[in-house]
Amino acid sequence: MVRSGLIAGVFFLLGLGLTVILNNSIASIIAFMIYAFVIENIFQFFVGSIAPWLPMANASSFVSATTLSRFSVFDDSLPVAHHGYLASGGIALAYALVAMAAAVIVFNRRDIA
């Protein structure tokens, strides 16, 4: 439950950053849904080298406390372990912090502080 709560906080920060950058909450929800259900799945299956670094894969690895493995559709070999669940939590947090840093920069340039 603690790991699920931490990932919920990470996704809150990610969503807040995306909302501030786009200046529209509906657009950020739609952009996230398109990314989570379409783009990340395409990256995971067809670009195996970046699959362990994607945010949704790392979030699920952290919540379930499993090792994240790398595999490719075009390769017949078995999946190779890439990193553990604690590193997955750190990678997911890094995505949220980058989104928040970008949101602060966009907010300071666009809005009156």
Side-chain angles (χ1 to χ4, degrees):
M1 287 180 56
V2 171
R3 287 190 306 269
S4 296
L6 290 172
I7 284 297
V10 164
F11 279 117
F12 167 75
L13 292 176
L14 193 60
L16 180 64
L18 191 57
T19 300
V20 170
I21 291 168
L22 295 175
N23 202 21
N24 187 338
S25 59
I26 298 298
S28 68
I29 292 170
I30 292 170
F32 178 76
M33 291 297 187
I34 290 171
Y35 173 77
F37 294 116
V38 178
I39 296 172
E40 183 154 328
N41 287 322
I42 290 171
F43 282 157
Q44 265 189 328
F45 288 117
F46 296 113
V47 188
S49 61
I50 65 167
W53 303 105
L54 297 173
M56 299 300 289
N58 281 294
S60 64
S61 172
F62 180 71
V63 169
S64 63
T66 57
T67 301
L68 194 62
S69 299
R70 181 173 55 97
F71 68 95
S72 176
V73 173
F74 303 111
D75 191 10
D76 290 339
S77 64
L78 294 173
V80 177
H82 195 271
H83 56 267
Y85 72 96
L86 291 176
S88 294
I91 291 169
L93 179 63
Y95 275 106
L97 293 177
V98 167
M100 286 305 297
V104 167
I105 292 168
V106 167
F107 181 80
N108 285 334
R109 288 182 176 224
R110 181 182 56 213
D111 297 329
I112 299 172

